[in-house]
Amino acid sequence: AELGSVYARRYFDYMEHTPEVLANAKDAIDRAVALAPDDPMVVQKLGDYYYYGLRNYPRAAHQYQLLADQYPNYAPAQASLAFINRRLGRWKEALEGLRRAVHLEPRNLRYSSALVETLTDLRRYDEAEAVQREVLAHDGDSFYQMTLWALIAFERNGSTGEFEKMEKKFAADPKRAQAALLVRYRVSRMKGDLESFIQTAGQIREIQGFFRFPWEQECDYAMALKISGDTVQAKALLEKRIGTERDNVEKEPQPRSWMTLSVAYTVLDDDAEALHCAQTAVDLVPESADANEGTRYTGNRAMILAWAGKKDEAIAEVARQLKIPGGLKVEELRKD
């Protein structure tokens, strides 16, 4: 059962988004169900297979609900139902479920982080801050938890002060020099400081394995060069890789990869391909199928529309995004 869940999550997270991995997930979970269909772990992990492997949220919810009915104080069942409600756009139910999960397991950072992220997506910054303050009280040195805290401040009023505190703290520790560089990279982007962004992006490119998705970072770097006026270098960076990356995404379709390609084609001044790639990402995971993840791709499409000169369409989409949970944020648009 656990093996089936792991394969399904690898597939869902695009670590190995292949038919073979999905088949491995099915083989493992089918074996578990044959051995012990009523075992609580099997019930839960069968839910994981439907959730992460097939994105079949109603079937996954059925499995998790069976577990929650039998074990109402089992936090993973409550959290999993909340995660599904979030993807289905049932935000009230998602918050209630996440609060229950955090109450049952206060030190489970996955649940508390999901609660903070959801409150932030709903622009309920005071509540998000209150929850995250509790987290930092016992996990105050975590890069990710400090980042969540800093993001609340930035999205609330555009302040990068908390990020700058992080950078100073990490810069004082030789073992966390790379973390300091990553924060500087992020802050310079948030401030719209192109010179600093290009400098730090160049440094990051030289660190092997620093980014999980180096092609995304390369496209961001090229876009910054384009904005600064260095279109020759920007295009040169991407022209030698665009063909390979396009082949890869055609073989293994992923919305995140199509979104990145849309940025690359924008840098290369191919508006038609940029819009096609942006729309393909939206089509793969539309908001109607996943309210939590889908806004990432519709938000990107709005930016690509703007770059392509389709300003009326872009403005209409941005206006919509500013009103929906998880959509584009005012300070992000103002300063990035």
Side-chain angles (χ1 to χ4, degrees):
E2 183 67 28
L3 183 63
S5 175
V6 169
Y7 275 127
R9 286 170 181 267
R10 290 185 70 80
Y11 182 83
F12 184 86
D13 289 337
Y14 304 108
M15 298 171 74
E16 288 182 279
H17 194 77
T18 64
E20 292 77 15
V21 169
L22 191 55
N24 288 342
K26 186 177 188 309
D27 288 345
I29 201 65
D30 283 351
R31 178 67 173 149
V33 171
L35 288 168
D38 298 322
D39 185 285
M41 177 65 77
V42 176
V43 173
Q44 178 181 345
K45 299 306 178 180
L46 180 57
D48 288 354
Y49 169 70
Y50 285 125
Y51 185 145
Y52 300 106
L54 303 182
R55 286 183 181 265
N56 187 333
Y57 300 133
R59 287 293 299 272
H62 173 72
Q63 293 299 123
Y64 297 139
Q65 191 63 58
L66 288 174
L67 204 60
D69 290 343
Q70 190 172 3
Y71 303 101
N73 290 331
Y74 184 52
Q78 300 292 341
S80 295
L81 285 168
F83 294 148
I84 286 176
N85 279 324
R86 191 167 62 170
R87 292 188 182 277
L88 294 176
R90 300 170 182 165
W91 300 99
K92 179 176 180 290
E93 293 86 347
L95 281 178
E96 290 172 353
L98 287 170
R99 290 191 191 281
R100 281 197 296 272
V102 170
H103 174 72
L104 291 167
E105 289 190 18
R107 296 296 179 91
N108 189 311
L109 294 177
R110 185 186 181 207
Y111 304 156
S112 59
S113 296
L115 177 57
V116 170
E117 289 165 358
T118 303
L119 288 166
T120 304
D121 281 343
L122 293 168
R123 300 171 178 85
R124 293 166 66 163
Y125 300 116
D126 288 346
E127 294 170 73
E129 188 177 82
V131 175
Q132 191 61 13
R133 185 178 285 110
E134 291 291 323
V135 173
L136 290 175
H138 56 79
D139 196 43
D141 202 43
S142 161
F143 180 89
Y144 180 70
Q145 298 304 330
M146 292 170 72
T147 298
L148 274 184
W149 176 257
L151 273 174
I152 295 168
F154 176 74
E155 293 189 10
R156 183 204 294 268
N157 57 25
S159 170
T160 57
E162 294 300 325
F163 277 110
E164 287 161 5
K165 289 178 185 176
M166 283 177 65
E167 183 187 345
K168 287 181 181 178
K169 178 176 181 176
F170 295 149
D173 182 354
K175 294 180 181 179
R176 306 186 85 172
Q178 289 188 2
L181 178 62
L182 184 58
V183 176
R184 196 178 317 130
Y185 169 84
R186 189 165 196 165
V187 169
S188 61
R189 177 166 187 160
M190 286 174 159
K191 287 184 170 181
D193 184 344
L194 272 178
E195 184 178 352
S196 176
F197 181 82
I198 291 170
Q199 180 185 23
T200 53
Q203 291 175 275
I204 286 171
R205 289 173 68 237
E206 297 173 5
I207 302 174
Q208 190 69 27
F210 192 79
F211 264 72
R212 181 181 169 194
F213 301 100
W215 169 239
E216 291 182 12
Q217 193 271 336
E218 193 83 337
C219 290
D220 280 351
Y221 180 51
M223 177 62 84
L225 289 172
K226 176 185 174 77
I227 295 169
S228 71
D230 192 351
T231 55
V232 174
Q233 186 183 352
K235 291 182 177 181
L237 277 174
L238 303 186
E239 282 171 343
K240 54 192 174 186
R241 285 188 60 179
I242 191 75
T244 301
E245 296 297 335
R246 181 62 181 260
D247 288 344
N248 289 340
V249 76
E250 293 278 7
K251 293 174 187 173
E252 195 175 312
Q254 301 178 16
R256 185 166 179 159
S257 297
W258 281 109
M259 181 175 69
T260 304
L261 269 181
S262 72
V263 176
Y265 280 117
T266 295
V267 173
L268 296 172
D269 294 324
D270 190 337
D271 292 341
E273 277 301 315
L275 287 168
H276 167 72
C277 293
Q279 185 61 51
T280 301
V282 171
D283 293 341
L284 283 171
V285 184
E287 289 178 21
S288 59
D290 191 329
N292 186 53
E293 186 180 340
T295 53
R296 175 189 300 180
Y297 309 119
T298 50
N300 174 72
R301 182 176 177 273
M303 299 300 99
I304 301 302
L305 283 167
W307 274 104
K310 297 183 180 293
K311 296 180 181 179
D312 289 343
E313 291 179 64
I315 289 170
E317 177 57 22
V318 167
R320 187 187 75 87
Q321 288 272 325
L322 290 170
K323 299 175 184 176
I324 61 175
L328 296 167
K329 308 292 196 303
V330 169
E331 296 300 337
E332 176 187 11
L333 289 164
R334 184 178 289 164
K335 298 191 175 182
D336 187 323

